Amino acid sequence: MNFDLTQEQQQIQKLARTFAENELAPGVLERDANSEFPMEAFKKFGGMGMYGIPYPKAFGGQGGSYLSYILGVEEVSKIDGAFGISFSVNTSLYGGSVMYSSATDEQKKRFLAPIASGAAVGSFGLTEHTAGSDAAGQQTVATPDGDGYVLNGTKIFNTNGPFADYTVVYCLMDPSIGTKSMAAFVLEKGMPGFTVGRLEDKMGIRSAQVSEMHLDNVRVSADRMIAKPGEGFKLAMKVLDGGRIGVAAQGLGIAKGAFEIARKYLMEREQFGKPLCKQQYLAFKMAELQTEIEKAELLLYKAAICKEEGKPHSVPAAMAKMTCTDTAMRVTTECVQMLGGNGYMKGYHVERMMRDAKITQIYEGTNEIQRLVISGQLFR
Ligand code: CAA
């Protein structure tokens, strides 16, 4: 067993770190306060090839490892967790839906290359009012119409939804047989009947943009179908296995970002005539948090490696997602506490990180759903 990162992985980690420090740190508080998405920075990061890291060069990707991509998500999330999820949804959920579907190579190139190069942004339409944890509860329907299909329904909680150029929409062809008829299509911004609905006002990840998407008699040509009827549900589940590793990386990044702020603070801030880090209670607390972070990191990197090596990774992904995101919540909450009154104030960042951490325990399958996935494999 080798715990060293490859040269490629170290390079990506460094690139993402430098980008986050130079492009994301300035203005991160203002973007959080005003719910503003850093589109220019998002496009710039895409131009560096980051969104296509794990996909083949033939489809516009970089042909890199899944762990390299995960390290990228982790690095940017240390500074801006909202950017981390926009990146992860773009690559894992949109990109994964196209890549792991039964689409032809031509379709894959057509729908993946613009995202991989950063020229366009992708989004993932699975969740509905009736289909949250129960992803099978879909009501969006595609009806055959001539040589194409007509789609009707409403998707909710679409990250990147408001500005996405491409959205993968999962839907039923025959509601009477449910997911056995689930298919998936790639829709594009501006298609008649495909509109952005309510923009969500959120507790955290405030600069990420999340909205409803309405489909009102959207006419879609057959060459936009990437998962045939019956393939859609399994595709969504497979894609979420990869997405959960991305959310785990986001959570771990948030945890590490808050930890580092607290570490520096405890060395600088003096009370009772000495730096806070000389208070054994706080030093021990940091020792515990660092151990939690390293445990989570091991699970995350293991899950990423399982995925890139083509091994079963539903359970490793669920374990990593649950552990990294619970770690993010615990570490950020403890960091706010250790920074005292300052921790509660915006300028020290940890309160934002605590708010950002909360959603990581919820989306791409709540941590209760991760327990369902793990226990489901235990008793088969
Ligand atoms: N890979 C491939 N196939 C899978 C699979 C996987 N990981 N998991 C299940 N399947 C297959 C099963 O083998 C089964 O196939 P058969 O019918 O041939 O036997 C089929 O799918 C149905 O499986 P289940 O009976 O286990 O499905 P279920 O209806 O009980 O649901 C669930 C299982 C795990 C609870 C699932 O509904 C789930 O993951 N729920 C959470 C949904 C979720 O994560 N939503 C996130 C939305 S995206 C998001 O958050 C957006 C964002 O912007 C960040």
Side-chain angles (χ1 to χ4, degrees):
M1 204 178 301
N2 181 359
F3 288 96
D4 296 333
L5 297 178
T6 63
Q7 243 188 353
E8 172 205 290
Q9 288 156 356
Q10 288 178 41
Q11 242 170 11
I12 297 217
Q13 197 177 39
K14 200 168 156 211
L15 263 178
R17 186 174 302 157
T18 307
F19 171 85
E21 285 165 359
N22 294 339
E23 309 284 339
L24 298 181
V28 66
L29 291 176
E30 292 74 15
R31 292 197 300 276
D32 174 68
N34 303 325
S35 294
E36 269 170 20
F37 185 71
M39 184 57 89
E40 209 179 302
F42 196 76
K43 288 274 168 88
K44 189 169 181 182
F45 200 49
M48 291 159 60
M50 300 303 277
Y51 306 143
I53 291 172
Y55 300 126
K57 291 190 172 164
F59 304 138
Q62 300 293 319
S65 69
Y66 207 74
L67 182 55
S68 297
Y69 149 62
I70 284 307
L71 291 166
V73 176
E74 183 191 320
E75 282 308 317
V76 296
S77 301
K78 285 181 184 173
I79 286 177
D80 187 349
F83 193 93
I85 192 61
S86 299
F87 173 12
S88 178
V89 165
N90 204 34
T91 297
S92 296
L93 297 190
Y94 174 82
S97 293
V98 176
M99 185 63 216
Y100 309 124
S101 71
S102 60
T104 62
D105 284 359
E106 198 191 327
Q107 283 176 306
K108 286 185 182 170
K109 198 168 174 188
R110 174 177 166 206
F111 296 130
L112 199 52
I115 303 297
S117 70
V121 182
S123 172
F124 175 81
L126 178 72
T127 305
E128 301 185 12
H129 291 290
T130 51
S133 287
D134 181 8
Q138 301 283 319
Q139 290 192 337
T140 297
V141 173
T143 313
D145 179 51
D147 56 358
Y149 302 88
V150 172
L151 271 57
N152 278 289
T154 297
K155 295 291 173 182
I156 63 167
F157 300 158
N158 270 49
T159 302
N160 297 343
F163 48 71
D165 302 285
Y166 295 84
T167 300
V168 169
V169 172
Y170 289 84
C171 55
L172 303 181
M173 302 289 294
D174 179 355
S176 71
I177 55 167
T179 53
K180 296 262 177 270
S181 74
M182 197 189 276
F185 295 86
V186 176
L187 269 60
E188 256 172 87
K189 186 161 77 177
M191 291 174 81
F194 185 43
T195 52
V196 176
R198 189 182 66 215
L199 198 64
E200 301 297 345
D201 187 7
K202 312 178 293 317
M203 171 198 271
I205 57 157
R206 289 188 57 77
S207 67
Q209 303 296 304
V210 176
S211 70
E212 291 177 337
M213 302 300 294
H214 296 303
L215 297 105
D216 185 13
N217 287 319
V218 185
R219 193 158 190 331
V220 179
S221 53
D223 61 357
R224 289 183 172 276
M225 181 188 268
I226 57 165
K228 297 183 186 75
E231 292 177 356
F233 190 73
K234 286 182 190 173
L235 174 63
M237 292 297 111
K238 194 171 174 189
V239 167
L240 280 166
D241 286 341
R244 287 166 186 164
I245 307 176
V247 173
Q250 183 205 12
L252 187 69
I254 294 171
K256 286 185 180 178
F259 182 88
E260 188 53 19
I261 291 170
R263 194 184 67 79
K264 288 185 178 143
Y265 185 88
L266 296 184
M267 289 199 297
E268 282 162 15
R269 168 92 171 150
E270 293 197 0
Q271 288 287 277
F272 305 105
K274 57 185 179 186
L276 287 179
C277 63
K278 299 287 179 200
Q279 303 286 355
Q280 196 180 51
Y281 176 78
L282 295 174
F284 277 18
K285 178 69 71 188
M286 289 296 277
E288 280 171 25
L289 296 183
Q290 192 185 13
T291 309
E292 293 295 315
I293 286 173
E294 291 210 12
K295 283 197 297 201
E297 184 186 88
L298 286 172
L299 282 174
L300 172 61
Y301 295 177
K302 180 185 169 189
I305 290 168
C306 283
K307 177 165 168 52
E308 82 194 24
E309 289 182 351
K311 294 181 182 152
H313 57 276
S314 301
V315 168
M319 287 178 172
K321 198 273 184 184
M322 180 175 86
T323 307
C324 290
T325 63
D326 284 349
T327 301
M329 200 65 240
R330 174 162 184 227
V331 170
T332 54
T333 307
E334 296 280 17
C335 288
V336 168
Q337 186 69 22
M338 285 189 287
L339 266 69
N342 285 330
Y344 199 68
M345 302 305 158
K346 302 271 180 196
Y348 283 82
H349 296 272
V350 287
E351 71 81 32
R352 170 177 58 86
M353 292 170 162
M354 181 176 145
R355 285 185 286 107
D356 287 354
K358 186 61 214 169
I359 188 61
T360 67
Q361 296 179 301
I362 298 172
Y363 55 28
E364 298 201 28
T366 61
N367 285 358
E368 290 73 19
I369 289 294
Q370 308 313 319
R371 285 165 170 82
L372 201 69
V373 171
I374 299 163
S375 61
Q377 296 275 336
L378 267 179
F379 302 113
R380 288 203 310 173

